[in-house]
Amino acid sequence: MNAAENARLEQFMDGLQRRNPGEKEFHQAVFEVAATIIPYIEGHPKYEEARILERLTEPDRIIIFRVGWEDDEGNIRANRGYRVQHNNAIGPYKGGIRFHHNVTLSVLKFLAFEQTLKNSLTGLPMGGAKGGADFNPKGKSDREIMRFCQAFMTELYRHIGPNTDVPAGDIGVGGREISYMFGQQKRIVNKFTGVLTGKGLSFGGSQVRTEATGYGCVYMMEDMLKHVGESLTDKVAVISGSGNVAQYAAEKLISLGAKVVTLSDSGGYIYDKAGITMDKLDYIKDLKGKRRGRISEYAKEFDVEYFADKRPWEVPCDLALPCATQNEIDEKDAEKLIKNGLRALSEGANMPSTAAAMELLQKAGVLFAPSKAANAGGVAISGLEMAQNSMRIAWDRDELNRRLREIMTNIHAQCVEYGATDEGVDYVKGANIAGFLKVADAIIAYGVM
Ligand code: NDP
């Protein structure tokens, strides 16, 4: 970046921070994008003249609401619900709902901003949004979860619709929660529409949606390796998380011949040196999905090491797939990964690497797929769930698998087109520019609004 571009970046970020005080996750996500978009804009002044960066970093609308519900003891509880409708320039708002005690407006604004560029990268007509609540589902009974989901939807329903805004799952929101919310929305509006994605297969859900984010994240890694003449075979992979994304990233890696040696949760990580097999993965799916247990139980069951309160980045590996949460790889973790010979990293979670970690990894020559490209497979199949719902048809698994593979290959190709440098492909730059252009051109076409 030259001095003029640097000055423009500083001036832009000063303004953004002034307008959004204290929202550090949002600042971080915007900075990562602006640092690659500003140099591009210098050569394409129409985006600067139309003030696209300023407009694209101001959400279309934010809805904040109270969610009142009753727990099993009869206590009245109040949580805060949100929906950030970030941008609908290229399609209806689309993005997940997160239930986690650390949900804040800053976290949801960063996720909605990222979602806008990610959805654009899929090539499907979807805008960007994100929502959620500071509700902690851990330890809640099934009935409490149901009452909370119903109360959340009793407010949210008036702001969403199949052509307006189509939420989906995210951390703490899986098939069970989507079903409760979909049922409540259907009951209030008395219409059966594709207003949420990630639904059950018997009521409008799509094949391959559950697997799509994890599988897509591995496809992205496979394509990066293929681009430099390498493959996944016999590579040792370290994965964080043990939820939806982590489970299916592990499944796809194992089936493509890599060896997965770790999984984690918020309590710590397990290190299975012999490699996690498909049978052991079935145990994890049951443990985390049905029994809602802790990853430490895996260590006892299979007699492997468990490291409490630690993250798996200290384990020697060729491949790293952070699939838990934001900012889970910091500078120190990145240093350890590089020292241990990391070859490629594909971000399953949203913004799991801090800015400093990302810079270190890229400088060290690690193939680095940022989340907006690497985890776009989930929302891509959600987009196809919307298409199937509109047409009132259901494609089969093979068809959806084929489409997912094709979409990920296309995302990789866009990253190469816009991110090629003398040293190789800068996937961060490529994903940012390719995602930005489609949305920016639509905003310009609509005139000033
Ligand atoms: P799940 O709720 O299924 O799993 C989340 C996993 O991450 C759990 O193992 C959880 O552990 C762990 N985790 C959550 N917070 C923390 C934390 N602060 N520290 C350590 N571990 C933590 O969520 P998903 O798998 O759906 O989502 C994981 C990531 O992928 C998120 O960043 C999400 O935004 C992103 N993503 C998900 C998509 C999807 O289709 N599901 C699509 C695109 C992105 P514990 O059980 O202890 O809570």
Side-chain angles (χ1 to χ4, degrees):
M1 206 183 293
N2 64 35
E5 289 162 359
N6 232 329
R8 171 73 179 111
L9 178 62
E10 255 180 48
Q11 177 230 357
F12 171 73
M13 286 307 300
D14 280 350
L16 184 104
Q17 283 163 4
R18 208 175 41 247
R19 290 192 300 279
N20 304 277
E23 296 181 352
K24 61 181 176 30
E25 292 87 359
F26 182 55
H27 303 164
Q28 182 185 341
V30 171
F31 178 82
E32 185 238 284
V33 171
T36 51
I37 295 295
I38 284 175
Y40 181 84
I41 284 180
E42 289 290 302
H44 303 79
K46 70 172 179 171
Y47 299 113
E48 183 64 58
E49 283 155 21
R51 283 286 186 263
I52 295 296
L53 261 186
E54 281 76 1
R55 290 160 73 186
L56 197 53
T57 47
E58 198 58 48
D60 288 353
R61 139 183 348 97
I62 297 175
I63 300 140
I64 302 182
F65 51 95
R66 182 186 64 252
V67 186
W69 59 287
E70 202 174 324
D71 67 21
D72 286 345
E73 278 74 50
N75 302 309
I76 295 169
R77 311 276 285 257
N79 283 95
R80 186 173 296 171
Y82 305 86
R83 187 72 181 162
V84 179
Q85 295 182 333
H86 186 262
N87 188 285
N88 69 352
I90 62 167
Y93 301 110
K94 177 96 199 86
I97 291 177
R98 177 176 291 192
F99 291 162
H100 194 276
H101 60 86
N102 74 4
V103 160
T104 60
L105 187 57
S106 169
V107 167
L108 295 179
K109 280 171 73 175
F110 116 64
L111 289 164
F113 172 69
E114 286 280 300
Q115 193 81 46
T116 298
L117 301 178
K118 179 189 312 191
N119 293 1
S120 160
L121 271 178
T122 66
L124 298 170
M126 298 182 287
K130 202 83 189 188
D134 60 351
F135 167 74
N136 182 3
K138 283 207 187 103
K140 301 288 187 301
S141 72
D142 193 54
R143 284 302 165 96
E144 287 176 326
I145 298 283
M146 181 189 79
R147 286 197 292 275
F148 183 81
C149 289
Q150 291 177 341
F152 184 82
M153 186 49 82
T154 301
E155 176 58 32
L156 186 67
Y157 87 93
R158 69 192 82 239
H159 307 290
I160 61 176
N163 296 312
T164 307
D165 183 355
V166 183
D170 190 71
I171 292 181
V173 177
R176 173 180 64 164
E177 291 76 15
I178 291 290
S179 305
Y180 288 145
M181 287 192 269
F182 181 66
Q184 180 73 349
Q185 189 271 350
K186 183 173 67 59
R187 174 200 207 181
I188 297 173
V189 303
N190 193 26
K191 284 189 185 121
F192 192 109
T193 63
V195 72
L196 287 168
T197 57
K199 300 185 289 298
L201 287 178
S202 61
F203 48 94
S206 176
Q207 295 281 0
V208 189
R209 175 59 191 93
T210 311
E211 299 88 342
T213 308
Y215 280 15
C217 180
V218 174
Y219 291 149
M220 185 71 192
M221 187 160 247
E222 190 180 32
D223 286 346
M224 287 196 301
L225 289 168
K226 211 190 282 173
H227 194 72
V228 293
E230 296 176 38
S231 82
L232 289 169
T233 315
D234 295 332
K235 296 268 194 314
V236 174
V238 161
I239 299 182
S240 67
S242 49
N244 172 265
V245 181
Q247 288 171 18
Y248 291 97
E251 183 171 288
K252 186 50 76 180
L253 278 171
I254 298 166
S255 75
L256 293 176
K259 181 168 152 186
V260 177
V261 294
T262 70
L263 285 171
S264 73
D265 63 17
S266 49
Y269 78 90
I270 57 103
Y271 182 21
D272 189 338
K273 275 188 199 145
I276 297 169
T277 58
M278 289 296 189
D279 285 347
K280 290 175 175 175
L281 199 56
D282 284 343
Y283 172 88
I284 295 277
K285 286 180 190 168
D286 183 64
L287 175 74
K288 294 309 256 186
K290 291 205 187 84
R291 291 196 278 131
R292 299 180 192 275
R294 311 304 303 157
I295 198 75
S296 53
E297 294 171 51
Y298 178 103
K300 286 196 194 99
E301 177 77 15
F302 298 110
D303 194 22
V304 302
E305 284 178 288
Y306 173 67
F307 297 88
D309 300 322
K310 289 189 117 185
R311 296 184 288 209
W313 317 124
E314 57 197 10
V315 172
C317 62
D318 306 301
L319 313 174
L321 293 92
C323 298
T325 192
Q326 64 270 9
N327 291 327
E328 54 169 317
I329 298 185
D330 62 19
E331 226 170 328
K332 286 204 177 89
D333 299 319
E335 277 165 7
K336 283 183 219 154
L337 285 164
I338 294 164
K339 193 166 138 268
N340 284 331
L342 181 72
R343 181 71 190 104
L345 185 148
S346 189
E347 294 188 326
N350 281 310
M351 204 170 75
S353 314
T354 64
M358 186 163 81
E359 198 183 331
L360 271 182
L361 290 160
Q362 284 190 300
K363 272 202 184 127
V366 171
L367 300 171
F368 184 95
S371 49
K372 67 173 75 62
N375 70 24
V379 75
I381 296 294
S382 278
L384 298 180
E385 183 174 329
M386 288 166 70
Q388 293 171 83
N389 290 168
S390 297
M391 294 189 283
R392 302 204 192 286
I393 58 165
W395 289 319
D396 64 22
R397 271 189 86 77
D398 288 348
E399 175 67 19
L400 284 151
N401 258 324
R402 187 186 61 72
R403 286 178 186 253
L404 173 63
R405 190 68 192 90
E406 229 172 71
I407 287 171
M408 294 313 297
T409 302
N410 186 36
I411 291 175
H412 180 266
Q414 291 178 69
C415 292
V416 173
E417 182 180 347
Y418 291 101
T421 71
D422 292 344
E423 290 85 44
V425 181
D426 179 341
Y427 286 92
V428 175
K429 176 179 163 198
N432 286 343
I433 295 174
F436 168 83
L437 283 178
K438 206 166 128 193
V439 182
D441 289 340
I443 293 175
I444 290 177
Y446 296 138
V448 179
M449 55 172 69

